[in-house]
């Protein structure tokens, strides 16, 4: 057997992934083990997990592949600093020590870290893949297509910010590139910064905020900031940005253009202006993506599209690409960001470096993205007992019945079953669930469970066989990466007064028969649940349907703001006790909040406040 270990690290969202004879064995982000959100460090614990999952040691691994090429990235940094000098000295002064101490000699660093795991590890096993090749490989090779156009869009890799590849069989060739500093990912991140959210983690907040606004600044952005061509290629006017030379994303010129300063999240409230700005940059992003995909379909005549890179997580744009019809089929890598680069790097080595053939599956090869750790019932019971939990054990069928009844009773439920998800989305393995028919569920989950902004929408997990009954979608969306509208028949008309409240006040307005998962524009970020990949979750929703007539549930990630998704039973219990989650279903153990020691709950609540 041939084992290939892929690694992404040292920027954000470090991860490890393992292939055995070209098949995925396991993949996980380092943050899930260290509990440090977006952990950029060497993924020591993720590597230990994927090796253990396969029952091998590092000595059994044939190659370790890093997801980008540091020398090319260093070349880009140096050329950029020279081009903007003398501006950018502070950024240069901060970046160079790290590069000269670590990143420039990454092969030695990787070898040193890997030798800590296996003292006999040899440096000749280390390979490097280009950043966007890793993204493209992660999108194409696990996809269900023999042939596809592969589009990757993110902030920046080495030089590339957008690439187009053609995948056929085991061959993947990059045919077009757009280079730094012209980047759709960095444009979106610039507006993430401008609206007061954190770059590289707050972009999805901008996407969620956009439906509350009107895209009245779209033309201003296209007139002054983005020179957009018919084929979707573009150039960014660097007069308004600071990311090439400074320590911020935008500058005074952009503030003057829009007439508002950068929002300070600790003191400045979100206003209608920020909602309109979010709507405008979202509209520009969709326009660029649609122009690119339409042109690619015309030029190549291939009807399948694969996508990866951070911008591929913009599920609103993905939904519009799918509905646009330029392509018959769209497949997006569920770990589309840098974490997925670890998987892509391993795939690139297997198919491109080693020239191994590719078997095209009837579905994709991601196994529902359930590629992380799992825990046996006895392990779960032991961990729960050690932390003082009180629980009842049930057989599988009865566990589903008990959990479905709790959902039907309007309770917030923690659901911890099977292997943990790989990627940023909870897909019914490490999820917090609720009743989508509840008008108060969205607000309750945001404010009392997730401890986050009240405008944030939640996603529905719906039985695949019933998706078209509820949403304007009749296809697969297993990874929660497609947005579609709710069906007209379940919408509810708002009054004129309600329509005038185009802000956060609209949160408690009933927008459909499933208000907890219906955004203010009647859209929803959909996960279709398939019995083949997650039978326990499918059984739960089926039982909820039997009880209520509703074949979907609210699904949000099992964590609170600022923390990674839970990984272990202990993580789950801590989150359960520190929030208003009322029931926890974990393996064959069911926990009810009322049964727990009140003093223990107080301790966990205090810890969350300190965090």
């Amino acid at each position: 057997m041939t084992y290939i270990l892929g690694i992404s690290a040292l920027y954000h969202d470090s991860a490890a992934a393992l292939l055995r004879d070209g098949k995925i064995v396991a993949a996980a982000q380092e943050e899930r083990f260290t509990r440090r959100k977006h952990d950029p460090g060497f993924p020591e614990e993720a590597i230990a997990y994927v090796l253990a999952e396969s029952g091998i040691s590092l000595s059994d691994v044939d190659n370790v592949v890093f997801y980008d090429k540091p020398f090319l990235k260093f070349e880009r940094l140096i050329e950029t600093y020279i081009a903007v000098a003398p501006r950018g000295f502070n950024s240069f002064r901060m970046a160079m020590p790290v590069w000269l101490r670590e990143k420039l000699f990454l092969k030695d660093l990787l070898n040193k870290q890997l030798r800590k795991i296996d003292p006999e590890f040899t440096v000749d096993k280390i390979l490097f893949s280009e950043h966007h090749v890793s993204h493209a490989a992660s999108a194409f090779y696990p996809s269900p297509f023999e042939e596809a156009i592969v589009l990757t869009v993110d902030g920046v890799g080495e030089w590339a910010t957008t690439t187009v590849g053609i995948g056929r069989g085991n061959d993947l060739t990059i045919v077009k590139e757009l280079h730094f500093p012209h980047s759709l990912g960095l444009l979106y991140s610039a507006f993430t910064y401008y609206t007061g959210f954190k770059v590289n983690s707050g972009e999805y907040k901008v996407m969620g905020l956009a439906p509350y606004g009107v895209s009245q600044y779209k033309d201003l952005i296209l007139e002054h900031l983005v020179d957009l061509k018919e084929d979707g290629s573009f150039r960014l006017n660097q007069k308004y940005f600071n990311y090439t030379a400074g320590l911020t994303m935008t500058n005074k010129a952009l503030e003057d253009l829009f007439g508002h300063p950068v929002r300070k999240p600790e003191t400045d409230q979100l206003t209608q202006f920020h909602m309109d700005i979010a709507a405008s940059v979202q509209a520009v992003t969709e326009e660029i993506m649609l122009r690119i995909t339409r042109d690619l379909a015309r030029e190549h005549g291939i009807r399948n599209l694969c996508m990866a890179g951070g911008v591929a997580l913009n599920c609103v744009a993905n939904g519009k690409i799918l509905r646009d019809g330029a392509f018959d089929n769209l497949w997006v890598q569920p770990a589309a960001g840098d974490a997925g680069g670890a998987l892509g790097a391993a795939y690139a080595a297997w198919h491109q470096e080693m020239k191994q053939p590719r078997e095209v599956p009837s579905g994709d090869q991601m196994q529902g993205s359930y590629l992380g750790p799992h825990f046996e019932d006895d392990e779960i019971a032991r961990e729960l007992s050690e932390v003082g939990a009180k629980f009842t054990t049930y057989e599988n069928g009865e566990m589903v019945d008990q959990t479905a009844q709790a959902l039907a009773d309007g309770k917030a439920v923690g659901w911890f079953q099977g292997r943990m998800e790989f990627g940023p989305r909870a897909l019914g393995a490490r999820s917090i669930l609720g009743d989508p028919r509840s008008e108060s569920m969205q607000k309750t989950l945001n404010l009392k469970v997730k401890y986050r902004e009240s405008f944030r929408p939640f996603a529905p997990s719906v039985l695949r066989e019933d998706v078209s009954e509820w949403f304007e979608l009749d296809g697969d969306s297993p990874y929660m990466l497609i947005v579609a509208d709710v069906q007209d028949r379940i919408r509810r008309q708002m009054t004129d007064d309600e329509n005038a409240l185009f802000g956060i006040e609209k949160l408690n307005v009933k927008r459909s028969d499933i208000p907890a998962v219906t955004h203010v524009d009647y859209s929803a970020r959909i996960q279709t649940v398939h019995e083949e990949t997650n039978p326990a979750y499918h059984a739960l929703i089926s039982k909820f349907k039997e009880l209520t007539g509703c074949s979907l549930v609210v699904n949000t990630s099992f964590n609170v703001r600022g923390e990674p998704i839970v990984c272990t039973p202990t993580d789950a219990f801590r989150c359960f006790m520190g929030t208003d989650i009322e029931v926890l279903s974990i393996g064959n153990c069911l926990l009810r909040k009322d049964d727990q020691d009140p003093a223990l709950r107080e301790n966990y609540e205090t810890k969350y406040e300190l965090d």
Side-chain angles (χ1 to χ4, degrees):
M1 292 184 179
T2 300
Y3 290 95
I4 302 176
L5 174 65
I7 295 175
S8 63
L10 306 180
Y11 183 44
H12 61 89
D13 293 312
S14 295
L18 186 69
L19 298 184
R20 179 174 56 217
D21 289 342
K23 302 293 190 300
I24 306 171
V25 176
Q29 296 109 296
E30 184 72 0
E31 66 165 19
R32 306 294 171 84
F33 306 97
T34 64
R35 311 310 299 158
R36 179 187 176 192
K37 197 169 180 68
H38 303 298
D39 192 336
F42 179 78
E44 180 178 353
E45 294 199 48
I47 290 171
Y49 156 66
V50 299
L51 293 176
E53 185 67 31
S54 188
I56 64 170
S57 65
L58 186 58
S59 62
D60 298 310
V61 172
D62 294 87
N63 285 108
V64 177
V65 194
F66 194 71
Y67 81 127
D68 69 10
K69 294 190 173 181
F71 282 117
L72 288 178
K73 187 173 288 188
F74 186 70
E75 175 189 81
R76 186 249 300 169
L77 291 174
I78 293 298
E79 287 194 22
T80 300
Y81 286 132
I82 291 172
V84 301
R87 293 182 302 117
F89 178 73
N90 285 336
S91 177
F92 175 83
R93 184 181 61 185
M94 292 180 66
M96 284 305 105
V98 178
W99 273 93
L100 295 176
R101 185 175 63 250
E102 295 179 359
K103 294 186 178 181
L104 194 57
F105 306 102
L106 185 58
K107 194 168 190 177
D108 290 340
L109 175 64
L110 292 175
N111 186 50
K112 184 183 299 183
Q113 292 292 337
L114 291 165
R115 284 175 66 86
K116 289 180 181 178
I117 301 171
D118 174 15
E120 302 300 318
F121 183 83
T122 56
V123 70
D124 59 295
K125 288 186 175 182
I126 298 176
L127 302 174
F128 293 86
S129 172
E130 287 192 29
H131 186 96
H132 272 257
V133 170
S134 297
H135 275 320
S138 78
F140 176 63
Y141 289 123
S143 79
F145 309 134
E146 170 67 29
E147 178 184 60
I149 292 174
V150 186
L151 176 63
T152 69
V153 188
D154 67 359
V156 61
E158 293 87 5
W159 277 104
T161 64
T162 302
T163 64
V164 176
I166 304 297
R168 292 188 178 93
N170 71 339
D171 181 66
L172 176 59
T173 304
I174 304 297
V175 296
K176 288 183 180 180
E177 292 187 354
L178 185 66
H179 284 182
F180 182 86
H182 310 294
S183 164
L184 182 55
L186 291 177
L187 174 70
Y188 210 92
S189 291
F191 280 92
T192 299
Y193 168 82
Y194 183 56
T195 51
F197 300 114
K198 189 175 180 180
V199 172
N200 288 329
S201 64
E203 284 78 4
Y204 59 94
K205 298 181 183 181
V206 176
M207 184 178 66
L209 187 63
Y212 293 99
V214 179
S215 57
Q216 60 175 304
Y217 300 104
K218 177 183 176 182
D219 291 343
L220 194 64
I221 293 171
L222 290 174
E223 179 182 352
H224 292 277
L225 273 64
V226 184
D227 179 16
L228 178 60
K229 305 302 182 185
E230 192 61 35
D231 65 355
S233 61
F234 61 90
R235 295 179 66 83
L236 299 185
N237 185 348
Q238 293 302 304
K239 171 185 174 181
Y240 297 96
F241 302 98
N242 199 36
Y243 56 77
T244 60
L247 303 176
T248 60
M249 293 298 297
T250 62
N251 57 27
K252 186 66 164 51
L254 187 134
E255 296 178 23
D256 292 342
L257 179 65
F258 293 109
H260 290 264
V262 172
R263 185 177 78 91
K264 298 179 176 62
E266 63 275 8
T267 58
D268 299 343
Q269 294 294 314
L270 286 167
T271 67
Q272 191 62 51
F273 168 74
H274 300 110
M275 299 172 196
D276 292 345
I277 280 288
S280 299
V281 72
Q282 177 65 30
V284 169
T285 299
E286 292 165 10
E287 179 70 22
I288 292 173
M289 293 297 285
L290 285 170
R291 288 196 188 190
I292 290 173
T293 52
R294 287 167 182 168
D295 187 74
L296 291 176
R298 280 195 301 267
E299 179 179 358
H300 297 283
I302 298 172
R303 304 301 297 175
N304 302 317
L305 176 66
C306 297
M307 291 173 56
V311 177
L313 293 172
N314 193 307
C315 49
V316 178
N318 294 346
K320 294 193 174 181
I321 290 169
L322 182 62
R323 290 190 295 276
D324 188 56
F327 292 91
D328 296 333
N329 302 295
L330 171 64
W331 193 85
V332 183
Q333 165 56 238
D338 277 7
L343 179 61
Y347 266 123
W350 176 251
H351 290 297
Q352 297 182 315
E353 184 74 17
M354 301 179 183
K355 307 297 182 184
Q356 294 294 326
R358 172 174 175 254
E359 296 178 12
V360 181
S362 56
D364 66 54
Q365 292 192 32
M366 289 299 295
Q367 304 165 39
S369 212
Y370 306 114
L371 301 171
H374 69 286
F375 297 84
E376 300 296 336
D377 288 338
D378 59 343
E379 294 179 278
I380 293 169
R382 183 171 61 251
E383 279 200 34
L384 292 177
S385 297
E386 288 173 353
V387 295
K390 293 181 172 63
F391 55 90
T392 304
T393 58
Y394 293 98
E395 296 299 324
N396 289 339
E398 193 174 1
M399 171 63 78
V400 165
D401 292 347
Q402 292 283 336
T403 308
Q405 188 61 59
L407 289 170
D409 292 340
K411 298 184 184 301
V413 174
W415 178 255
F416 183 113
Q417 301 289 339
R419 296 183 70 176
M420 182 180 69
E421 301 91 341
F422 180 51
R425 306 284 183 243
L427 301 170
R430 305 288 186 273
S431 292
I432 299 171
L433 310 178
D435 186 344
R437 304 168 302 159
S438 168
E439 295 185 53
S440 61
M441 185 59 68
Q442 180 188 17
K443 187 174 182 179
T444 297
L445 289 178
N446 269 326
L447 299 182
K448 295 185 178 182
V449 174
K450 301 285 283 187
Y451 301 143
R452 68 184 195 181
E453 301 90 344
S454 60
F455 69 83
R456 301 271 293 279
F458 289 107
S461 291
V462 58
L463 299 178
R464 168 61 184 89
E465 55 268 30
D466 291 353
V467 62
S468 61
E469 295 181 18
W470 298 93
F471 306 102
E472 293 180 2
L473 175 71
D474 189 13
D476 294 344
S477 180
Y479 303 121
M480 208 183 288
L481 287 169
I482 299 292
V483 164
D485 290 342
V486 300
Q487 287 284 5
D488 286 341
R489 68 174 183 82
I490 64 170
R491 296 186 187 188
R492 295 294 174 263
Q493 186 65 43
M494 298 181 189
T495 67
D496 290 340
D497 288 341
E498 289 168 341
N499 278 314
L501 296 174
F502 216 79
I504 294 176
E505 293 87 349
K506 287 177 73 174
L507 279 173
N508 290 322
V509 174
K510 188 172 184 182
R511 296 180 290 274
S512 75
D513 288 346
I514 45 173
V517 294
T518 304
H519 211 5
V520 291
D521 58 353
Y522 289 114
S523 70
R525 177 164 49 97
I526 298 164
Q527 179 200 2
T528 53
V529 179
H530 302 246
E531 186 174 12
E532 299 78 14
T533 53
N534 197 332
Y537 197 33
H538 189 276
L540 175 67
I541 301 174
S542 297
K543 184 62 180 181
F544 182 73
K545 176 184 178 181
E546 180 183 321
L547 294 173
T548 66
C550 181
S551 53
L552 63 147
V553 296
V554 179
N555 176 15
T556 187
S557 56
F558 200 156
N559 65 323
V560 296
R561 184 176 65 176
E563 280 202 347
I565 294 173
V566 301
C567 177
T568 68
T570 300
D571 297 335
F573 182 72
R574 179 175 180 268
C575 188
F576 168 65
M577 292 298 289
T579 66
D580 281 354
I581 297 173
E582 297 161 280
V583 173
L584 173 58
S585 174
I586 177 167
N588 68 348
C589 301
L590 191 77
L591 292 74
R592 300 185 186 277
K593 185 64 66 62
D594 292 343
D595 296 337
Q596 308 307 312
D597 184 345
L600 195 60
R601 180 177 184 182
E602 185 175 333
N603 288 340
Y604 281 108
E605 287 176 336
T606 302
K607 181 61 170 68
Y608 270 115
E609 289 173 2
L610 290 175
D611 288 345

